[in-house]
Amino acid sequence: MACVLRHVIMTVTAVYIGGGGDPSKQKLNCVKVNGSKSFVAAKMGVLRQDHAMPLPCTGGVDEDVLEEHLRQNIPRRKQMVDLYRHGEMVEEGVGYRQTVVIRSYEVGADKTATIESLLNLLQETALNHVWMSGLLSDGFGATHGMMRNNLIWVVSRMQVQVDHFPIWGEVMEIDTWVGASGKNGMRRDWLLRSQVTGIVFIRATSTWVMMNKETRRLSKMPDEVRAEIAPWFIEKYAIEEESPEKIEKLDDKARYVHSNLKPKRSDLDMNQHVNNVKYLRWMLETIPDEFLEKHQLSEIVLEYRKECGSSDVVQSLCEPQFNENIGLNGHTVSSQILQGNGLLGAINQKLLSYIHLVQTKGESKNEEIVRGRTTWREKKHGAKLFPS
């Protein structure tokens, strides 16, 4: 007999045993749902909350599924405010804003947030936006319609412009929203600004397409999924770019090459492929340390070609790109090399870009994972963001 889903309100009561009257020694042994014992969950603390969630009306409830739903508490209806994540809906209820504090483990030696931490924050706010919408199913940002069609989101392109890096303890606001991208894609944009001054630190835009979870092939957007997400689309752009410049493909003659890179289990996301932030780390680690010490990232463009799995062996290549061979002091790159300063001496004279390629290494051929371009500016020590 087919199982029909219905909404029920469940009062969840924590039942403690042992430890007498000392709360510090009490353990949560089981949870009773409407008077029936459900699952064991030790050391979860006092839990009493009303949950509205769909449950099967016949055939009983899988205890593992029930526990996961209770712990995640994914909303089934649109929420306007999320006190736990310091988030709220904006843009007439279709955009999302979250307030975050830059934490100690998100900064580097210079006390500024690392680019990886910032990209993780962008991803987190995007997922929280879907969470608040009431569209989130059990997948990694997938809607109910996507789950029914066995689809997942994959990013095809991302561009991030960094004007300023937040510092440890700084309070930031992140706005995110979505829009249409062609017939079968979705665009997601972000703005990250100082809560104190309103100055925009970072602008970012990305393009997403759907992939079949089993076949790992790209898919058209089903009508039911379009009906779910289209009401959330906004005609607003964090970065205006009419015709994106294509990133050229590097070959094995690239100046800098790191080989035999292997993903770790911790690099995989819930869709069982390497998280896109890891690709950026592989790219940056290929750039010489002498250059990174004197320069700061100002823009990233990433073009994704193929997913990377845990068994792949990866190679990262990069090549410096010069702007008409003219340095900041009017010296040409060739003159810097002839004067004995070498290539790094020439590079350190000016703003430049690196072209990147991350690829899998196969016995017969290599396959592109992602192409990238990073643009850099010289670090200005002692410069103030808010001059007195």
Side-chain angles (χ1 to χ4, degrees), residues 31-74:
V31 172
K32 289 188 177 181
V33 181
N34 291 341
S36 300
K37 183 176 178 181
S38 179
F39 62 86
V40 176
K43 299 181 181 180
M44 285 181 62
V46 178
L47 178 65
R48 184 179 179 87
Q49 187 174 355
D50 286 342
H51 291 261
M53 57 184 293
L55 288 175
C57 60
T58 60
V61 181
D62 184 277
E63 291 187 355
D64 292 335
V65 173
L66 176 57
E67 177 180 355
E68 184 174 310
H69 275 267
L70 289 173
R71 293 174 66 183
Q72 287 184 308
N73 193 22
I74 298 176

Side-chain angles (χ1 to χ4, degrees), residues 99-351:
T99 302
V100 301
V101 179
I102 304 302
R103 304 178 188 276
S104 60
Y105 53 80
E106 295 172 329
V107 303
D110 59 356
K111 296 185 180 180
T112 65
T114 64
I115 189 62
E116 295 93 335
S117 295
L118 295 172
L119 291 186
N120 282 328
L121 285 175
L122 298 186
Q123 177 175 278
E124 182 67 12
T125 52
L127 290 170
N128 290 342
H129 184 200
V130 184
W131 185 291
M132 292 277 287
S133 71
L135 296 177
L136 183 65
S137 186
D138 294 329
F140 194 36
T143 67
H144 303 292
M146 291 176 64
M147 291 294 290
R148 284 191 290 269
N149 287 273
N150 208 24
L151 298 174
I152 60 176
W153 286 115
V154 291
V155 60
S156 62
R157 188 177 187 274
M158 189 164 193
Q159 180 180 4
V160 182
Q161 295 177 348
V162 184
D163 291 330
H164 310 285
F165 279 86
I167 61 175
W168 175 34
E170 193 161 13
V171 182
M172 309 299 297
E173 289 181 345
I174 305 177
D175 284 9
T176 186
W177 63 93
V178 293
S181 177
K183 189 176 181 180
N184 292 298
M186 184 182 75
R187 190 192 74 254
R188 177 172 287 280
D189 288 13
W190 295 266
L191 289 178
L192 189 150
R193 71 173 69 85
S194 164
Q195 189 192 53
V196 175
T197 66
I199 293 177
V200 175
F201 282 26
I202 296 172
R203 303 174 185 272
T205 187
S206 59
T207 305
W208 297 77
V209 293
M210 293 182 185
M211 173 188 286
N212 185 284
K213 190 175 182 180
E214 297 300 327
T215 66
R216 315 307 281 187
R217 294 181 180 275
L218 297 184
S219 170
K220 292 183 178 180
M221 184 181 295
D223 290 339
E224 68 169 317
V225 176
R226 194 184 313 278
E228 285 180 316
I229 65 177
W232 295 84
F233 289 171
I234 303 176
E235 283 295 325
K236 176 182 176 182
Y237 301 88
I239 299 175
E240 293 283 354
E241 190 175 32
E242 295 182 0
S243 54
E245 181 183 353
K246 187 176 181 180
I247 301 174
E248 64 181 85
K249 182 182 178 180
L250 296 180
D251 55 30
D252 292 338
K253 297 179 182 179
R255 185 174 297 275
Y256 303 108
V257 179
H258 277 192
S259 299
N260 296 320
L261 303 171
K262 296 181 180 180
K264 301 176 182 177
R265 289 183 60 87
S266 58
D267 297 329
L268 302 182
D269 61 23
M270 286 185 274
N271 287 331
Q272 300 302 311
H273 57 215
V274 174
N275 188 283
N276 56 61
V277 177
K278 182 63 179 183
Y279 301 143
L280 178 62
R281 171 45 49 195
W282 281 332
M283 290 178 177
L284 298 183
E285 288 178 346
T286 313
I287 299 175
D289 290 340
E290 299 93 323
F291 176 84
L292 295 176
E293 290 173 0
K294 298 179 180 180
H295 292 80
Q296 192 172 54
L297 190 62
S298 65
E299 185 178 40
I300 312 162
V301 179
L302 301 172
E303 295 178 355
Y304 298 90
R305 306 297 172 116
K306 176 184 177 294
E307 63 178 336
C308 177
S310 59
S311 61
D312 289 325
V313 178
V314 178
Q315 184 181 58
S316 178
L317 307 90
C318 78
E319 180 76 26
Q321 300 289 299
F322 300 97
N323 184 12
E324 300 299 330
N325 285 344
I326 302 297
L328 291 177
N329 298 323
H331 301 295
T332 65
V333 171
S334 58
S335 69
Q336 287 287 317
I337 296 175
L338 288 174
Q339 290 172 18
N341 295 328
L343 178 62
L344 283 175
I347 290 175
N348 289 334
Q349 291 294 318
K350 61 187 301 299
L351 172 72

